[in-house]
Amino acid sequence: MIRRRKLRFLVVGAGMSGILAAIRLREAGHEDVVVLEKADRLGGTWRENRYPGLTCDVPAHAYTYSFAPNAEWSRYFAGADEIRAYFEKVAHDRDVLPLIRFNREVTDLSFGQGRWTATTRTGERFTADVVILASGVLHHPRTPDIGGLDSFAGKAMHSARWEDDVVLDGRRIGVIGCGSTGVQLICALADRASRLVHFQRSPQWIMPVVDFAYTDEERAAFRRDPALIDAIRYDPEYEGNVQRFTMGIVDPDSEAMHAIEELCRQNLEQNVADPVLREKLRPDYRAACKRLVYSPDYYARVQRPAVHVETGAIERIVPQGVRMRDGTIHELDVLALATGFHADRFIRPATVHGRNGVALDDLWAKRATAYFAITLPDFPNLFLLNGPTSPVGNFSLIDVAERQWQFVERLIGELANGNCDEICASAEAMAAYEARRLEAARGTIFASGCSSWYLDREGVPMTWPWSYQAFADAMVNPVMKDFERRATARAAD
Ligand code: NA7
């Protein structure tokens, strides 16, 4: 590629996607790359979440950059500490750590005179031709709207604001929430708490999975022969299952989706002995309507003597614990709020203004979205990784980000080659794409009648609504006529 223009890049966020962007930019020979990170460490989700039992629900060897296989994973499903250490190691090995400016929270991004200016909370300004927004999805904790939370005499904390020094062993603990987080917390605490109450407003379908540790011998073999790692990462059975799952999401009446529902149903029927508890744990919506929870041992753990499943309505939090609408009070020492995230905020509350002062807040007033999840009209040279509508089934978000990068790279190529100074989806292309996406999203399993963080305020899933293959194809073939390309008279630097 003949590069005619030297570009300056700002990457916002040093989580999985931001590190990927920095590595790829350096590999492509771009020298001027700055990563702005709000915290004092990298790792994104894996830095913010530290609650007991946290693991990734994608097999470790598949939740790995394709260019940095890791022979050292200790388990099939790796824990958070290991995953964070992996990202730190990759960033170090690929020499992108010096590009990261820590403790620089971006509060404003504005486009003018052909370039972007980022302002940080510290008042510093950074300018660039291109911005990669890799600021994460699930990072604004949702505190439940339950009265009396402040009155609790014990320790209440959101799962993403876990305090490591809170004593858990032998304590009376409540966990509100039954998504992946709540389920993992229950599994981790079932044998530690003296009493553990799982508050479930909506029970979840649980997909059974098998987790296991790798032996030293296996790790030594992975080191010697990376093909063994690839055999796990690209295991046809695993990939086939995930592909089928994606097909099932797109077509809720398909055999694939019925098979998933049946697996979850059998898991419940066969593994919960007490019929009363079984009915408490049975959701009243279809499996995979909410993002499926994967767990090797939730049903086993929830039947431990110390665990009590509470499906009644919470009235309020009182100093001694949680009072139910029927008057029951669950007395607690610790209350874990596994109540999820504001999944529609992305870079916000930072303000972002594109061409002619167009505000991202206005563009996203109804719903957060982007053309193929990556670019927005009037926001030239600003590209999102794992932005709105990115989730593709239960595929590894690393895989999603790597594929999105192929698309971004193509657009960056237009700028670097001097074909234009500004590039973004045209308003017409964005509107046509979004109309198509909305129609497809309304037909997916996620819209089959439940609440979940996938849904926007109108109940439409904020996800990729087509097959995995369609995603993979779209990422390598941007439709170039859908982009508005302009030349700008830039101000002198
Ligand atoms: P989720 O999946 O958004 O789950 C949040 C849970 O919290 C869910 O069970 C909610 O019940 C429950 N919740 C929220 N507010 C309340 C109130 N006020 N009262 C009772 N229960 C409440 O968040 P997670 O952190 O578990 O997982 C997020 C993603 O992270 C996960 O999908 C993986 O991708 C990783 P509801 O279902 O709304 O009735």
Side-chain angles (χ1 to χ4, degrees):
M1 181 207 300
I2 305 160
R3 184 169 303 127
R4 291 206 230 141
R5 189 177 159 202
K6 275 198 165 185
L7 296 167
R8 293 164 306 167
F9 292 86
L10 273 182
V11 178
V12 182
M16 174 274 286
S17 305
I19 295 165
L20 168 73
I23 291 171
R24 289 302 197 207
L25 287 170
R26 290 312 287 267
E27 280 173 355
H30 298 289
E31 284 161 17
D32 196 339
V33 180
V34 172
V35 182
L36 299 176
E37 166 55 52
K38 69 180 174 188
D40 59 0
R41 279 181 84 171
L42 58 78
T45 287
W46 305 104
R47 178 200 61 236
E48 297 215 347
N49 286 279
R50 287 194 314 274
Y51 61 82
L54 172 57
T55 61
C56 183
D57 61 8
V58 173
H61 284 292
Y63 193 77
T64 305
Y65 294 122
S66 59
F67 52 84
N70 177 26
E72 311 307 324
W73 292 122
S74 68
R75 310 189 63 79
Y76 188 66
F77 291 106
D81 289 349
E82 251 188 286
I83 298 174
R84 194 183 53 241
Y86 167 76
F87 289 121
E88 285 175 347
K89 181 169 186 313
V90 174
H92 173 268
D93 292 351
R94 301 278 162 157
D95 204 22
V96 295
L97 281 178
L99 310 181
I100 307 174
R101 311 289 166 86
F102 291 102
N103 300 308
R104 304 297 201 291
E105 182 183 350
V106 172
T107 52
D108 182 73
L109 271 170
S110 294
F111 186 79
Q113 297 183 310
R115 66 187 177 198
W116 283 97
T117 301
T119 309
T120 65
R121 192 166 292 289
T122 49
E124 283 166 279
R125 287 177 174 228
F126 297 82
T127 57
D129 304 295
V130 180
V131 170
I132 309 294
L133 264 193
S135 51
V137 188
L138 302 175
H139 59 129
H140 294 291
R142 181 189 288 278
T143 309
D145 51 352
I146 303 172
L149 199 50
D150 289 343
S151 72
F152 183 51
K155 180 73 199 173
M157 54 193 166
H158 189 275
S159 54
R161 295 288 179 268
W162 201 263
E163 295 176 33
D164 299 330
D165 55 357
V166 173
V167 177
L168 302 168
D169 294 300
R171 310 303 290 277
R172 300 165 302 174
I173 305 172
V175 175
I176 301 181
C178 195
S180 300
T181 305
V183 164
Q184 291 185 349
L185 270 167
I186 292 297
C187 293
L189 299 175
D191 293 333
R192 294 179 63 183
S194 61
R195 180 171 165 77
L196 184 60
V197 185
H198 197 184
F199 297 93
Q200 305 197 358
R201 185 166 66 182
S202 329
Q204 282 267 22
W205 288 108
I206 309 287
M207 172 64 90
V209 286
V210 178
D211 187 23
F212 54 87
Y214 291 115
T215 62
D216 288 343
E217 291 71 31
E218 283 171 311
R219 277 191 291 276
F222 292 148
R223 265 175 241 131
R224 280 193 307 271
D225 183 3
L228 295 174
I229 296 179
D230 283 352
I232 299 171
R233 182 185 178 101
Y234 305 109
D235 174 12
E237 192 183 329
Y238 169 72
E239 287 212 324
N241 284 342
V242 186
Q243 299 259 14
R244 271 192 295 283
F245 185 20
T246 313
M247 292 310 298
I249 287 168
V250 171
D251 179 2
D253 291 326
S254 61
E255 226 173 87
M257 188 44 71
H258 289 303
I260 286 164
E261 289 182 293
E262 188 52 21
L263 261 176
C264 294
R265 197 187 62 76
Q266 280 179 17
N267 191 23
L268 176 66
E269 304 294 351
Q270 292 169 5
N271 294 306
V272 182
D274 172 7
V276 176
L277 179 60
R278 202 186 306 137
E279 291 322 302
K280 272 184 169 181
L281 293 172
R282 191 188 300 278
D284 61 1
Y285 54 87
R286 293 184 65 182
C289 182
K290 292 176 191 282
R291 192 179 195 279
L292 255 190
V293 174
Y294 289 69
S295 178
D297 55 354
Y298 176 70
Y299 288 144
R301 301 282 174 154
V302 85
Q303 294 174 86
R304 294 281 210 269
V307 185
H308 174 77
V309 172
E310 175 58 86
T311 51
I314 295 174
E315 188 180 74
R316 66 183 287 111
I317 312 290
V318 292
Q320 62 273 45
V322 176
R323 189 167 72 213
M324 309 306 295
R325 204 169 287 161
D326 67 5
T328 311
I329 293 184
H330 294 286
E331 295 192 5
L332 302 169
D333 305 305
V334 178
L335 183 57
L337 308 172
T339 42
F341 299 86
H342 296 283
D344 61 346
R345 293 205 182 155
F346 299 94
I347 182 72
R348 298 176 289 179
T351 46
V352 185
H353 291 94
R355 241 180 229 148
N356 307 320
V358 174
L360 188 65
D361 259 341
D362 292 340
L363 193 71
W364 283 356
K366 197 165 177 190
R367 60 170 59 88
T369 187
Y371 174 85
F372 281 90
I374 287 173
T375 144
L376 296 161
D378 286 325
F379 291 77
N381 308 357
L382 177 133
F383 309 124
L384 297 118
L385 289 181
N386 273 311
T389 74
S390 278
V392 185
N394 270 54
F395 267 95
S396 161
L397 287 186
I398 296 189
D399 188 61
V400 169
E402 285 197 32
R403 289 184 188 277
Q404 289 179 332
W405 186 256
Q406 297 173 313
F407 191 112
V408 171
E409 212 167 32
R410 178 85 166 77
L411 305 186
I412 291 172
E414 291 292 299
L415 301 169
N417 290 338
N419 292 346
C420 59
D421 295 320
E422 299 178 14
I423 188 164
C424 56
S426 70
E428 299 71 35
M430 173 77 228
Y433 169 79
E434 185 61 356
R436 228 165 33 87
R437 191 195 68 79
L438 287 172
E439 193 191 338
R442 287 190 181 100
T444 62
I445 190 77
F446 303 133
S448 65
C450 66
S451 63
S452 86
W453 68 266
Y454 276 167
L455 303 182
D456 67 21
R457 268 179 285 160
E458 292 181 356
V460 185
M462 299 188 292
T463 52
W464 175 266
W466 300 290
S467 72
Y468 180 75
Q469 196 53 49
F471 171 69
D473 293 345
M475 291 302 103
V476 287
N477 285 315
V479 179
M480 295 314 290
K481 70 172 175 44
D482 281 358
F483 292 88
E484 189 188 69
R485 281 169 277 190
R486 284 192 193 175
T488 36
R490 282 186 308 283
D493 295 332

